[in-house]
Amino acid sequence: MTGAASVGALTLAAALTPTLPALAQSQSGPLPPIRVEAPPEKPRAVSQAKPKPVASAAHSASGAQKLPPIDVGGARRSARVAPVRSALVTGSTVSSGTGGAASTGAGTAAFAAAVANVGRNPTDVHGYFAGRMSTATKTNTPILDIPQSVTVLTRQQLDDRNSLALENALAYVPGVTVAQGERNRDQITIRGQNTTADFYIDGIRDDAEYYRDLYNIQAVEVLKGPSALIFGRGGGGGVVNRVTKKADGETINELRVVGGSFGRKRITADFGRAVTDTIAVRLNALYEHSYGYRDFDKLERWGVNPAVSWKPFENTFVLFNYEHFRDRRTVDRGVPSFGGFQFLGENIYPGYPLPTPRSAFFGVGNPSVRDVNYSRINLDRAALVIDHTTEFGLNIRNQIAWANYDKLYQNTFPDQTLGQLSQQLNPALNGLSPITITPVGVARLDGYLAPTPRRNIFNQTDLTYKFAMTPDIRHTLLVGTEFGNQWSFTGRDISRFNNPFNGPRRLTTPFWAPTVYAPVFFDNYFDTATRRWNTNLDIGSAYVQDQIEVTKYFDVLAGVRFDSFHMRFNDGITFENQSRLDNKWSPRFGLIFKPVEIVSFYGTYSRSFLPQSGDQFNQLPRSAASLAPQGFENIEFGFKAQLLPTLLFTGAIYQLNRSNQALTLTALTSVLANTRTQGAELGLTGNVTDEWQVSLGYGNQDARVVSTNSAFNPRQPFLTDVGKVNPSVPRNTFSYWNRYDVSSFVGGGPGVLGLGAGVIYASSFYPSLDNRVIVPGYARLDGAVFVKVTENISGQLNIENLTGAYYYASAHNNNNIMPGAPRSAYVTVNARF
């Protein structure tokens, strides 16, 4: 299609659907135009007052005048109109606001935009830039008008950096630290708050413990600070939401093959099309069989995700998708630490990760390490969305999601620091006890098996209406409910080496020979460390939110949520039964000032809570059952500036207070603490020029314990947790990724040749609350080359850790620290047909 024809098609789409973004072209034939009601108001100019909504002239059957229709796409558009296509994304599947190949039909464009809006995808997407999102407010809102720090990783960002899984993608997000997660799950720290559960998919809780692949994901959204108004419990530091690829009517036929270092072999498929002018289908699929840089490392996973979109009536959409996903991998918890000296509870000097070959595996390798140390997840998930806008403008949206997570892992791992000195005051000896030292050169191995299945069902209903009280005061009112049930089981069988009945629980080995070849058994039902915990949780919530535009200069966001959290607990060994009911209110208030249309300043206050049962309901059997929930309180000030039509500059400073937090001291002990995180963030994302795209982020944070409930210990009179730094919180993090189109230098058209370069930096951090061990900081350099062979075939080469630096990427505690990967190269071939 010529440039003039493309502009003509987009002009026709804009005329038919004034609130929906114009999209690019596709290979499919045009569908009949679809009318989606939109507000009669026009985008505001900087020098003009906000236009007054115009009521419909039509009348209902009763003769009453109809109310103005709701703005399905949001009244405000991005401050600047973004270009439809960028030279950098020519031929890419992410050139449009909804993703997928470009379309030649105005009807297809309207259908795709409506599906993106109903499915709450980021919109106004152009390469790395996203102008609007729905997750933060449940309404399609310009990011400039959201009083919260947010990061949107678009599909092109994920592809360009070869981010295949969620842990890879989050490495480039400021203020987020990817923890080790015992190498069986996603685990992150956001603004000093560690979590294994603050993960969502299309706004629905996805809180089981597993590694999340991105084969069926259109974008990853990271919201910083407490978000209980939208998401309910948890989310104290923030939440991560994955947005799935929707059946939007675009014609997509795409295969993507990845191969490279350590035997990586991966193929994904993405097929989509319009079946009729009201029905569209899409299918995403994955298979991967790979190895890793660590000894014995192996990964095999596959998934399939069909999706259907249906428009049965005018202004009514039905979206359905189902996913089956399986993942089996080696569990490898890294290396222990070495050294350090503690005197009477005071750290004199710290320990450090044990300097071993980065491939060395600490664990049992007999009869096969993959049979002893593995994690598997079988996931089935189905979601249904029904969205309808009435004649008088009320939008009604209901989403129901069901998920079954069949998860089990078993592992052996180092559980003790090597060569650490300590001295304690022993009252029984009326003096100083001899200096004690953990065995020098000897690693101790422990192990356990843990099934952790879960079943979730959630239902969300949102009612949204937009109206004007005066010409200068306009409201977007949201009222909603959420109901759900979660059943979970937490099991644990501890290890016995050599003999299943009376063999030792732990085994020692020289650190220069860390892999042990000895029988290990996990079936000790009557051991005191064994668990058989069942939890059944009922959730009921109601919330109200109002986004108020007060003249063109001010916005107010205010809302409150009520949560009823009723948990029932049963111990299958002791037959102990407990229950806990928490009723909590979570308010949110934000004020936005826009001196000009492209710049906003905001201040916000928000609050959230987490029951003492914890992220995964595994703390209730202890005295925590009678304790008050943990609380989160966040105060934040920030700015957003759309420097260019597709370039967004953001910044924020914040203070996040957490109360009643259970902090782990050892495997069996913890303290209740109040912590405080203070920090600042900067981000720059989008197109600097037509040839140059960037994604830059910097985070500075200080997360410390301000008080605890721990009692004085006469053996360690100087021991205190007050002032200790929270685990896995580097003081400084920095990431910077560039993609530059150099096609003009070789005489090619846009997108023929591109170069990418990036850096990830993290300063040192403590892996545990005791602050006895320091994980050194590091900087990793990455690079990429992008080539378009034909209009339908493209390829790229990604090289991670260009300099081959030896570094430690993450940790779970003082004894489970993961070395980072050496220099790695991956080739990707993308074919469209």
Side-chain angles (χ1 to χ4, degrees):
M1 177 178 288
T2 65
S6 176
V7 171
L10 294 172
T11 303
L12 177 58
L16 292 170
T17 59
T19 65
L20 300 175
L23 302 176
Q25 54 188 12
S26 163
Q27 297 174 353
S28 65
L31 294 173
I34 298 174
R35 182 174 64 85
V36 178
E37 286 194 327
E41 59 213 71
K42 297 180 179 179
R44 295 176 296 160
V46 174
S47 60
Q48 297 176 351
K50 297 179 180 179
K52 181 177 181 179
V54 180
S56 171
H59 289 69
S60 65
S62 63
Q65 187 177 11
K66 295 180 181 179
L67 296 175
I70 189 172
D71 179 8
V72 178
R76 289 181 175 174
R77 314 209 33 104
S78 292
R80 299 185 176 187
V81 178
V84 174
R85 294 179 69 85
S86 166
L88 290 175
V89 294
T90 301
S92 168
T93 61
V94 294
S95 58
S96 72
T98 62
S103 172
T104 59
T108 302
F111 187 92
V115 167
N117 191 33
V118 170
R120 292 180 172 168
N121 289 25
T123 55
D124 289 357
V125 174
H126 305 272
Y128 292 4
F129 172 86
R132 307 172 68 95
M133 68 183 301
S134 300
T135 304
T137 61
K138 288 183 176 281
T139 62
N140 195 314
T141 305
I143 291 179
L144 282 172
D145 297 344
I146 298 174
Q148 184 175 11
S149 178
V150 299
T151 299
V152 178
L153 303 177
T154 65
R155 186 67 247 181
Q156 190 182 356
Q157 287 189 62
L158 301 174
D159 288 342
D160 285 357
R161 293 196 288 252
N162 195 38
S163 297
L164 306 180
L166 187 61
E167 60 175 333
N168 309 129
L170 296 179
Y172 273 90
V173 178
V176 176
T177 305
V178 178
Q180 186 197 76
E182 300 179 294
R183 297 311 294 168
N184 71 78
R185 61 180 179 262
D186 287 317
Q187 185 164 346
I188 57 177
T189 300
I190 308 180
R191 291 188 171 180
Q193 314 307 312
N194 182 276
T195 182
T196 62
D198 292 326
F199 301 101
Y200 293 78
I201 184 164
D202 290 332
I204 294 287
R205 189 174 292 272
D206 176 47
D207 55 2
E209 296 182 313
Y210 71 104
Y211 280 113
R212 295 156 176 85
D213 198 279
L214 302 179
Y215 76 99
N216 60 340
I217 299 303
Q218 187 65 29
V220 175
E221 303 168 328
V222 183
L223 284 65
K224 316 288 182 59
S227 300
L229 174 63
I230 301 299
F231 299 100
R233 74 180 192 274
V239 301
V240 176
N241 182 59
R242 292 174 298 146
V243 181
T244 59
K245 297 178 180 179
K246 308 297 190 305
D248 55 11
E250 304 281 6
T251 298
I252 304 169
N253 298 290
E254 181 174 291
L255 290 176
R256 191 176 184 89
V257 180
V258 182
S261 296
F262 314 113
R264 176 173 290 178
K265 300 176 290 293
R266 176 185 172 98
I267 183 170
T268 58
D270 188 357
F271 302 112
R273 64 190 63 253
V275 179
T276 69
D277 57 357
T278 60
I279 299 176
V281 296
R282 192 167 184 173
L283 175 67
N284 281 272
L286 152 78
Y287 179 76
E288 179 174 355
H289 187 280
S290 302
Y291 298 89
Y293 64 97
R294 301 275 294 165
D295 289 345
F296 310 108
D297 193 17
K298 181 181 178 180
L299 165 67
E300 184 175 19
R301 55 186 167 186
W302 64 272
V304 59
N305 183 192
V308 179
S309 298
W310 178 36
K311 182 179 181 294
F313 308 108
E314 189 72 15
N315 300 328
T316 301
F317 282 87
V318 178
L319 310 183
F320 174 79
N321 79 79
Y322 168 79
E323 180 183 13
H324 178 73
F325 177 73
R326 299 185 65 178
D327 182 300
R328 182 181 171 111
R329 64 181 67 212
T330 303
V331 173
D332 174 8
R333 290 171 59 169
V335 305
S337 60
F338 177 85
F341 178 41
Q342 187 183 60
F343 182 77
L344 305 183
E346 178 70 17
N347 291 328
I348 304 304
Y349 61 85
Y352 289 88
L354 184 67
T356 66
R358 75 174 96 212
S359 62
F361 177 80
F362 284 74
V364 173
N366 183 40
S368 167
V369 72
R370 299 185 187 96
D371 294 332
V372 175
N373 301 272
Y374 71 89
S375 171
R376 64 164 174 80
I377 176 76
N378 296 325
L379 164 66
D380 289 279
R381 183 182 186 276
L384 176 68
V385 176
I386 302 176
D387 185 283
H388 176 71
T389 302
T390 67
E391 291 185 357
F392 56 85
L394 176 66
N395 181 254
I396 305 170
R397 185 180 191 272
N398 181 269
Q399 178 174 201
I400 185 169
W402 169 88
N404 183 68
Y405 308 88
D406 179 14
K407 167 71 184 298
L408 178 144
Y409 70 97
Q410 63 180 42
N411 54 169
T412 55
F413 53 90
D415 77 334
Q416 189 178 57
T417 297
L418 280 65
Q420 186 176 75
L421 303 173
S422 63
Q423 188 172 48
Q424 299 177 349
L425 184 65
N426 190 335
L429 299 178
N430 294 319
L432 296 179
S433 64
I435 291 177
T436 60
I437 183 171
T438 55
V440 178
V442 177
R444 191 174 73 176
L445 304 179
D446 199 349
Y448 63 86
L449 173 151
T452 57
R454 174 167 295 173
R455 287 195 299 269
N456 289 351
I457 184 167
F458 292 100
N459 183 273
Q460 293 181 354
T461 301
D462 296 327
L463 307 177
T464 311
Y465 187 70
K466 184 179 287 289
F467 63 95
M469 293 183 63
T470 72
D472 290 326
I473 301 179
R474 297 184 292 178
H475 295 257
T476 301
L477 182 63
L478 167 74
V479 178
T481 61
E482 180 174 10
F483 298 96
N485 175 264
Q486 295 184 267
W487 171 86
S488 304
F489 175 78
T490 301
R492 175 165 295 192
D493 290 338
I494 57 94
S495 57
R496 292 290 182 188
F497 293 92
N498 299 319
N499 187 303
F501 302 104
N502 57 7
R505 279 195 55 184
R506 300 177 179 89
L507 215 58
T508 59
T509 182
F511 75 83
W512 57 85
T515 305
V516 174
Y517 295 91
V520 60
F521 305 90
F522 302 100
D523 56 359
N524 300 279
Y525 184 85
F526 296 103
D527 194 284
T528 56
T530 299
R531 300 176 186 173
R532 297 290 188 274
W533 298 345
N534 290 276
T535 57
N536 200 308
L537 170 67
D538 290 320
I539 302 166
S541 308
Y543 46 88
V544 60
Q545 172 188 272
D546 197 4
Q547 295 169 263
I548 311 170
E549 302 173 33
V550 184
T551 75
K552 63 182 181 181
Y553 299 109
F554 292 96
D555 284 359
V556 176
L557 187 150
V560 66
R561 178 181 179 121
F562 173 79
D563 284 282
S564 179
F565 186 94
H566 184 207
M567 174 173 284
R568 297 170 300 283
F569 165 80
N570 169 262
D571 190 322
I573 296 178
T574 65
F575 304 106
E576 172 190 8
N577 291 285
Q578 295 186 34
S579 64
R580 169 85 190 197
L581 176 63
D582 290 302
N583 296 317
K584 298 294 292 183
W585 294 89
S586 301
R588 180 184 186 186
F589 178 82
L591 178 64
I592 303 168
F593 171 56
K594 301 184 70 173
V596 294
E597 192 74 6
I598 62 171
V599 176
S600 65
F601 298 92
Y602 69 87
T604 185
Y605 170 85
S606 56
R607 208 166 66 204
S608 184
F609 76 100
L610 179 66
Q612 286 293 350
S613 50
D615 279 344
Q616 300 298 334
F617 319 134
N618 55 11
Q619 297 180 33
L620 195 61
R622 303 294 185 259
S623 59
S626 61
L627 297 176
Q630 301 178 43
F632 304 87
E633 185 178 63
N634 184 71
I635 300 174
E636 180 177 332
F637 298 94
F639 71 89
K640 297 184 175 76
Q642 198 169 337
L643 303 180
L644 296 171
T646 55
L647 184 65
L648 187 64
F649 181 41
T650 63
I653 58 174
Y654 61 88
Q655 177 171 297
L656 175 60
N657 299 320
R658 183 173 184 174
S659 60
N660 290 335
Q661 180 180 2
L663 292 177
T664 300
L665 297 179
T666 69
L668 299 176
T669 62
S670 62
V671 297
L672 283 181
N674 297 327
T675 64
R676 175 175 297 159
T677 304
Q678 296 176 319
E681 298 169 359
L682 290 173
L684 180 70
T685 305
N687 289 50
V688 180
T689 68
D690 285 344
E691 294 77 25
W692 183 16
Q693 292 191 97
V694 299
S695 173
L696 179 149
Y698 169 72
N700 177 281
Q701 52 188 343
D702 180 57
R704 295 180 181 271
V705 177
V706 295
S707 65
T708 73
N709 69 342
S710 57
F712 174 75
N713 184 352
R715 290 174 55 85
Q716 297 177 305
F718 300 136
L719 177 63
T720 179
D721 296 309
V722 175
K724 296 289 179 62
V725 177
N726 285 14
S728 294
V729 183
R731 186 64 179 264
N732 294 284
T733 58
F734 176 78
S735 63
Y736 185 31
W737 175 264
N738 299 261
R739 173 173 172 163
Y740 198 90
D741 186 5
V742 297
S743 303
S744 60
F745 294 97
V746 296
V752 169
L753 180 64
L755 299 178
V759 59
I760 299 174
Y761 168 78
S763 58
S764 61
F765 64 90
Y766 298 105
S768 294
L769 180 65
D770 58 21
N771 290 182
R772 290 189 181 186
V773 174
I774 292 178
V775 177
Y778 71 93
R780 191 188 86 186
L781 301 178
D782 301 334
V785 178
F786 308 94
V787 179
K788 184 169 73 172
V789 181
T790 69
E791 287 299 320
N792 295 323
I793 299 178
S794 61
Q796 67 187 67
L797 169 66
N798 289 86
I799 302 178
E800 299 175 0
N801 194 5
L802 277 164
T803 63
Y806 189 104
Y807 67 100
Y808 298 93
S810 61
H812 179 67
N813 53 39
N814 290 344
N815 309 307
N816 301 152
I817 304 170
M818 184 59 64
R823 184 184 299 109
S824 311
Y826 304 102
V827 175
T828 301
V829 177
N830 189 72
R832 297 188 301 156
F833 50 91

